[in-house]
Amino acid sequence: LQADPEALFEKPLSEIMTDPDEYNAFVQEIQKSRQTGDTELHFTTATGDVRQVLVSASLSLGTTIICSVADITERKLAERVIHKAKEDLEKRVLERTRELNRANEVLTAEIDERRQFAEAIQLANRKLNTLSSITRHDILNQVTAIVMYLSLAEEEVNDPAAVMAHLKKIGQITGLIQKQIRFTTNYQYIGTRPPAWQRVDTVVTAGLKHLDLTGLRVEKQLGDLEVFADFQLENVCYNLVENTLHHGGHATCCRFSY
């Protein structure tokens, strides 16, 4: 309460609980039951700040109330932050799912106008549905992890360092979910253009131009090789090398050859 302990001795509870309704309800409960279990209340500090506390109290001699108090302000703030993050995440997942569904509907509607691309469009639908299913499953797994870390934070509320560590984990998981959602954006246009002959050497160069290849040598032994493929081939090359950079351990070379 940011006050001298001696100044608090025999201080009226009404001066600490400045909300009259909350104070009256608390006192009535004490008078009725002579004791309370854990009750969430608001205490006002000597500097005028309001702290959220967990109080266990019992009525002693006369009108004296003996209270055991734990400050839960930071925990409640963390719960609100996590709750809002979860709501925002669920909203983004829902919006992204709707976007994927709308994209799928548009592709289906264009089948009659683009009969010459019928096979490509059918393949695109299967890929989009598979991608949506995988992404949804992965995101649900990450949400489960967030809920787990929230529970751990609640159990260790008296250990700020542990709570902050759990919140950091939640932030990392949220970032991973955002990355998974962005990943689906790269593939929402699969099949909207027909496959075409592409020079692989050129496709590889274009696919890697935005990657930081420091420490990784890329070798291309492709000559004049051309393949008949979807225009997402460039993204395929990008993902192959990006996975090597992030998961290849001590990989020093990535070779494209045939």
Side-chain angles (χ1 to χ4, degrees), residues 139-177:
I139 289 175
L140 286 174
N141 285 340
Q142 300 301 332
V143 169
T144 299
I146 288 176
V147 173
M148 179 193 71
Y149 281 116
L150 174 58
S151 297
L152 291 175
E154 291 177 344
E155 293 175 1
E156 301 177 342
V157 66
N158 293 322
D159 185 351
V163 171
M164 290 305 299
H166 295 320
L167 291 178
K168 183 177 179 181
K169 286 287 187 181
I170 291 172
Q172 293 172 346
I173 293 171
T174 302
L176 178 60
I177 293 173

Coordinates of all heavy atoms in Angstrom, one line a residue, residues 139-177:
I139 N -2.8 -23.6 -36.1 CA -3.2 -22.5 -35.2 C -3.9 -22.9 -34.0 O -3.7 -22.4 -32.9 CB -4.1 -21.5 -36.0 CG1 -3.2 -20.8 -37.1 CG2 -4.7 -20.4 -35.1 CD1 -4.0 -19.9 -38.0
L140 N -4.8 -23.9 -34.1 CA -5.5 -24.5 -32.9 C -4.5 -25.0 -31.9 O -4.6 -24.9 -30.7 CB -6.5 -25.5 -33.3 CG -7.8 -25.0 -34.0 CD1 -8.6 -26.1 -34.5 CD2 -8.6 -24.1 -33.0
N141 N -3.4 -25.7 -32.4 CA -2.4 -26.2 -31.5 C -1.7 -25.1 -30.8 O -1.4 -25.2 -29.6 CB -1.4 -27.1 -32.3 CG -1.9 -28.4 -32.7 OD1 -2.9 -28.9 -32.2 ND2 -1.3 -29.0 -33.7
Q142 N -1.4 -24.0 -31.5 CA -0.7 -22.9 -30.9 C -1.6 -22.2 -29.9 O -1.1 -21.8 -28.8 CB -0.3 -21.9 -32.0 CG 0.7 -22.4 -33.0 CD 2.0 -23.0 -32.4 OE1 2.4 -22.5 -31.3 NE2 2.6 -23.9 -33.0
V143 N -2.9 -22.1 -30.2 CA -3.8 -21.5 -29.2 C -3.9 -22.4 -27.9 O -3.9 -21.8 -26.8 CB -5.3 -21.4 -29.8 CG1 -6.3 -21.0 -28.7 CG2 -5.3 -20.3 -30.9
T144 N -3.8 -23.7 -28.1 CA -3.8 -24.6 -26.9 C -2.5 -24.3 -26.1 O -2.6 -24.3 -24.8 CB -3.8 -26.0 -27.4 OG1 -5.0 -26.3 -28.1 CG2 -3.7 -27.0 -26.2
A145 N -1.4 -24.0 -26.7 CA -0.2 -23.7 -26.0 C -0.3 -22.4 -25.3 O 0.2 -22.3 -24.1 CB 1.0 -23.6 -27.0
I146 N -1.0 -21.4 -25.9 CA -1.2 -20.1 -25.2 C -2.0 -20.3 -23.9 O -1.7 -19.8 -22.9 CB -1.9 -19.1 -26.2 CG1 -0.9 -18.7 -27.2 CG2 -2.5 -17.9 -25.4 CD1 -1.6 -17.8 -28.3
V147 N -3.1 -21.1 -24.0 CA -3.9 -21.4 -22.9 C -3.1 -22.1 -21.8 O -3.2 -21.8 -20.6 CB -5.1 -22.3 -23.3 CG1 -5.9 -22.7 -22.0 CG2 -6.0 -21.5 -24.2
M148 N -2.2 -23.0 -22.2 CA -1.4 -23.7 -21.2 C -0.5 -22.7 -20.4 O -0.4 -22.7 -19.2 CB -0.5 -24.7 -21.9 CG 0.4 -25.5 -21.0 SD 1.7 -26.5 -21.8 CE 2.7 -25.1 -22.4
Y149 N 0.2 -21.8 -21.2 CA 1.1 -20.8 -20.6 C 0.3 -19.9 -19.7 O 0.8 -19.4 -18.7 CB 1.9 -20.1 -21.6 CG 3.1 -20.9 -22.1 CD1 3.1 -21.3 -23.5 CD2 4.1 -21.3 -21.3 CE1 4.2 -22.1 -24.0 CE2 5.2 -22.0 -21.8 CZ 5.2 -22.4 -23.1 OH 6.2 -23.2 -23.5
L150 N -0.9 -19.6 -20.1 CA -1.8 -18.7 -19.2 C -2.0 -19.4 -17.9 O -2.0 -18.8 -16.8 CB -3.1 -18.4 -19.9 CG -4.1 -17.6 -19.1 CD1 -3.6 -16.3 -18.6 CD2 -5.4 -17.4 -19.9
S151 N -2.3 -20.7 -17.9 CA -2.6 -21.4 -16.7 C -1.3 -21.5 -15.8 O -1.4 -21.3 -14.6 CB -3.0 -22.9 -17.0 OG -4.2 -22.9 -17.7
L152 N -0.1 -21.7 -16.5 CA 1.1 -21.7 -15.7 C 1.4 -20.3 -15.1 O 1.8 -20.2 -13.9 CB 2.3 -22.0 -16.6 CG 2.3 -23.5 -17.2 CD1 3.4 -23.6 -18.2 CD2 2.5 -24.4 -16.0
A153 N 1.0 -19.2 -15.8 CA 1.2 -17.9 -15.2 C 0.3 -17.7 -14.0 O 0.7 -17.1 -13.0 CB 0.9 -16.8 -16.3
E154 N -0.9 -18.2 -14.1 CA -1.8 -18.1 -12.9 C -1.3 -18.8 -11.7 O -1.4 -18.4 -10.6 CB -3.2 -18.6 -13.3 CG -3.9 -17.7 -14.3 CD -5.2 -18.2 -14.8 OE1 -5.5 -19.4 -14.5 OE2 -6.0 -17.5 -15.3
E155 N -0.7 -20.0 -12.0 CA -0.2 -20.8 -10.9 C 1.1 -20.2 -10.2 O 1.3 -20.4 -9.0 CB 0.2 -22.2 -11.4 CG -1.0 -23.0 -11.8 CD -0.7 -24.4 -12.4 OE1 0.6 -24.6 -12.5 OE2 -1.5 -25.1 -12.9
E156 N 1.8 -19.4 -11.0 CA 3.0 -18.8 -10.5 C 2.9 -17.3 -10.4 O 3.8 -16.5 -10.6 CB 4.2 -19.2 -11.4 CG 4.4 -20.7 -11.6 CD 5.5 -21.0 -12.6 OE1 5.8 -20.2 -13.4 OE2 6.0 -22.2 -12.5
V157 N 1.7 -16.8 -10.0 CA 1.5 -15.4 -10.0 C 2.4 -14.7 -9.0 O 2.6 -13.5 -9.1 CB 0.0 -15.1 -9.6 CG1 -0.3 -15.6 -8.2 CG2 -0.4 -13.7 -9.7
N158 N 2.9 -15.4 -8.0 CA 3.7 -14.7 -7.0 C 5.2 -14.7 -7.4 O 6.1 -14.2 -6.7 CB 3.6 -15.4 -5.6 CG 2.3 -15.3 -5.0 OD1 1.7 -14.2 -5.1 ND2 1.8 -16.4 -4.4
D159 N 5.5 -15.2 -8.6 CA 6.8 -15.1 -9.2 C 6.8 -14.3 -10.5 O 6.6 -14.9 -11.5 CB 7.3 -16.6 -9.5 CG 8.7 -16.6 -9.9 OD1 9.3 -15.6 -10.2 OD2 9.3 -17.8 -10.0
P160 N 7.0 -13.0 -10.4 CA 7.0 -12.1 -11.6 C 7.9 -12.6 -12.7 O 7.5 -12.5 -13.9 CB 7.4 -10.8 -11.0 CG 7.1 -10.8 -9.5 CD 7.3 -12.2 -9.1
A161 N 9.0 -13.1 -12.4 CA 10.0 -13.5 -13.4 C 9.4 -14.7 -14.2 O 9.5 -14.7 -15.4 CB 11.3 -13.9 -12.8
A162 N 8.7 -15.6 -13.5 CA 8.1 -16.8 -14.2 C 7.0 -16.3 -15.0 O 6.8 -16.8 -16.1 CB 7.7 -17.8 -13.1
V163 N 6.2 -15.4 -14.5 CA 5.0 -14.9 -15.2 C 5.5 -14.2 -16.5 O 4.9 -14.4 -17.6 CB 4.2 -13.9 -14.4 CG1 3.1 -13.2 -15.2 CG2 3.5 -14.6 -13.2
M164 N 6.5 -13.4 -16.4 CA 7.1 -12.7 -17.6 C 7.6 -13.7 -18.6 O 7.5 -13.5 -19.8 CB 8.2 -11.7 -17.2 CG 7.7 -10.5 -16.4 SD 6.4 -9.6 -17.4 CE 7.3 -9.1 -18.8
A165 N 8.2 -14.8 -18.1 CA 8.7 -15.8 -19.0 C 7.6 -16.5 -19.8 O 7.7 -16.7 -21.0 CB 9.5 -16.9 -18.2
H166 N 6.5 -16.7 -19.1 CA 5.3 -17.3 -19.8 C 4.7 -16.3 -20.8 O 4.3 -16.7 -21.9 CB 4.3 -17.7 -18.7 CG 4.7 -18.8 -17.8 ND1 5.5 -19.9 -18.2 CD2 4.6 -19.0 -16.5 CE1 5.8 -20.7 -17.2 NE2 5.2 -20.2 -16.1
L167 N 4.7 -15.1 -20.4 CA 4.1 -14.1 -21.3 C 5.0 -13.9 -22.6 O 4.5 -13.7 -23.7 CB 4.0 -12.7 -20.6 CG 3.0 -12.6 -19.6 CD1 3.0 -11.2 -18.9 CD2 1.6 -12.8 -20.1
K168 N 6.3 -14.1 -22.4 CA 7.3 -14.0 -23.5 C 7.0 -15.2 -24.4 O 7.0 -15.1 -25.7 CB 8.7 -14.1 -23.0 CG 9.7 -14.0 -24.1 CD 11.1 -13.9 -23.6 CE 12.2 -13.9 -24.7 NZ 13.5 -13.8 -24.2
K169 N 6.7 -16.4 -23.8 CA 6.4 -17.6 -24.7 C 5.1 -17.3 -25.5 O 5.0 -17.7 -26.6 CB 6.2 -18.8 -23.8 CG 7.5 -19.4 -23.2 CD 8.3 -20.1 -24.3 CE 9.5 -20.8 -23.7 NZ 10.3 -21.5 -24.8
I170 N 4.2 -16.7 -24.8 CA 2.9 -16.4 -25.5 C 3.1 -15.5 -26.7 O 2.6 -15.6 -27.7 CB 1.9 -15.9 -24.5 CG1 1.4 -17.0 -23.5 CG2 0.6 -15.3 -25.2 CD1 0.6 -16.5 -22.4
G171 N 4.0 -14.5 -26.4 CA 4.3 -13.6 -27.5 C 5.0 -14.3 -28.7 O 4.7 -14.0 -29.9
Q172 N 5.9 -15.2 -28.4 CA 6.6 -16.0 -29.5 C 5.6 -16.8 -30.2 O 5.6 -16.9 -31.5 CB 7.7 -16.8 -28.8 CG 8.8 -16.0 -28.3 CD 9.8 -16.9 -27.5 OE1 9.5 -18.1 -27.2 NE2 11.0 -16.4 -27.2
I173 N 4.6 -17.4 -29.5 CA 3.6 -18.3 -30.2 C 2.7 -17.5 -31.0 O 2.4 -17.8 -32.2 CB 2.8 -19.1 -29.1 CG1 3.7 -20.1 -28.4 CG2 1.6 -19.8 -29.8 CD1 3.1 -20.7 -27.2
T174 N 2.3 -16.3 -30.5 CA 1.5 -15.4 -31.4 C 2.2 -15.0 -32.6 O 1.6 -14.9 -33.7 CB 1.1 -14.1 -30.5 OG1 0.5 -14.5 -29.3 CG2 0.2 -13.2 -31.3
G175 N 3.5 -14.7 -32.5 CA 4.3 -14.4 -33.7 C 4.3 -15.5 -34.7 O 4.2 -15.3 -35.9
L176 N 4.4 -16.7 -34.2 CA 4.4 -17.9 -35.1 C 3.1 -18.0 -35.8 O 3.0 -18.4 -37.0 CB 4.7 -19.2 -34.2 CG 4.7 -20.5 -35.0 CD1 5.7 -20.5 -36.1 CD2 4.9 -21.7 -34.0
I177 N 2.0 -17.8 -35.1 CA 0.6 -17.9 -35.7 C 0.5 -16.8 -36.8 O 0.0 -17.1 -37.9 CB -0.5 -17.7 -34.6 CG1 -0.4 -18.9 -33.7 CG2 -1.8 -17.5 -35.3 CD1 -1.4 -18.7 -32.5

